[in-house]
């Protein structure tokens, strides 16, 4: 990126791959940050500036908002962002806010679903197959945050429980 570009976040992929999420898009470096190249819109459609995650295996994912009104789409790549593929989302999730990847490569998405009364719930979804299928971990009426710390996963339910998983989100305990 331009030296004056605001970098929101940096991510490490496999080997020397480093990614920067900026206002101008996603940039990739293959020489430990000495030079940078923008991941072009042809390879990563949409405004993929919302959330971007990278894993040392070379798997990366981006959350993009496309069209008007904006529709959320997750794009995944198994080759450090050289090629991308759109993956499906459960239809009831109109708005995803965050995407996280665990130490094991599991994708976790934080989103909102519509309830029958017109209100929305804060949901945490889990995908172990690169976003092809999703499992609802739980739904809360309060804001939630998802954190990855080493191999462990944590979910903070605002003004409520703090949950911890030691096995990639298969089981959880309140702490």
């Amino acid at each position: 990126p331009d030296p004056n570009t605001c970098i929101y976040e940096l991510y490490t992929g496999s080997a020397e791959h480093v990614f920067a999420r900026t206002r101008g898009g996603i940039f990739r470096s293959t020489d430990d940050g000495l030079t940078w190249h923008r991941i072009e819109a042809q390879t990563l459609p949409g405004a993929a500036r919302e959330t971007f995650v990278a894993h040392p295996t070379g798997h990366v994912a981006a959350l993009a908002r496309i069209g008007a009104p904006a529709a959320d789409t997750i794009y995944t790549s198994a080759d450090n962002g050289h090629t991308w593929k759109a993956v499906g989302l459960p239809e009831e999730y109109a708005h995803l806010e965050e995407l996280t990847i665990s130490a094991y490569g599991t994708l976790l998405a934080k989103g909102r679903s519509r309830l029958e009364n017109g209100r929305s719930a804060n949901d945490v979804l889990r995908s172990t197959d690169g976003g092809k299928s999703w499992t609802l971990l739980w739904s809360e009426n309060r804001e939630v945050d998802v954190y990855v710390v080493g191999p462990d996963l944590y979910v903070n339910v605002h003004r409520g429980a703090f949950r911890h998983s030691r096995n990639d989100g298969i089981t959880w305990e309140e702490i």
Side-chain angles (χ1 to χ4, degrees):
D2 178 306
N4 297 317
T5 298
C6 177
I7 296 176
Y8 298 127
E9 295 173 292
L10 287 172
Y11 308 90
T12 55
S14 65
E16 299 84 26
H17 286 80
V18 180
F19 300 90
R21 184 174 71 87
T22 73
R23 179 178 292 152
I26 305 293
F27 289 79
R28 175 183 46 234
S29 172
T30 57
D31 57 9
D32 290 325
L34 294 175
T35 59
W36 294 88
H37 304 281
R38 187 170 193 266
I39 295 177
E40 297 299 326
Q42 299 92 318
T43 59
L44 180 59
R49 299 183 188 122
E50 301 301 324
T51 297
F52 185 87
V53 294
H55 192 267
T57 60
H59 286 83
V60 293
L63 171 60
R65 298 232 152 60
I66 299 174
D72 293 339
T73 304
I74 293 176
Y75 290 88
T76 62
S77 171
D79 58 7
N80 281 300
H82 293 282
T83 60
W84 294 88
K85 178 182 173 188
V87 296
L89 290 171
E91 196 172 292
E92 61 270 22
Y93 297 98
H95 182 67
L96 290 180
E97 298 175 344
E98 193 175 305
L99 194 61
T100 305
I101 193 165
S102 76
Y104 303 101
T106 296
L107 290 173
L108 296 164
K110 180 178 104 171
R112 294 183 187 270
S113 61
R114 291 279 170 213
L115 302 176
E116 290 178 14
N117 63 6
R119 301 185 73 183
S120 63
N122 296 293
D123 303 317
V124 178
L125 302 150
R126 178 178 183 261
S127 175
T128 58
D129 58 9
K132 294 175 188 163
S133 63
W134 294 88
T135 302
L136 176 66
L137 291 178
W138 58 80
S139 186
E140 298 285 344
N141 62 1
R142 294 176 291 213
E143 189 68 30
V144 296
D145 290 310
V146 180
Y147 304 97
V148 176
V149 180
D152 294 351
L153 305 176
Y154 294 88
V155 171
N156 177 27
V157 180
H158 291 216
R159 295 182 217 77
F162 202 74
R163 297 183 178 122
H164 175 227
S165 175
R166 295 178 193 273
N167 58 9
D168 206 33
I170 296 169
T171 60
W172 296 83
E173 63 181 348
E174 284 198 22
I175 54 176

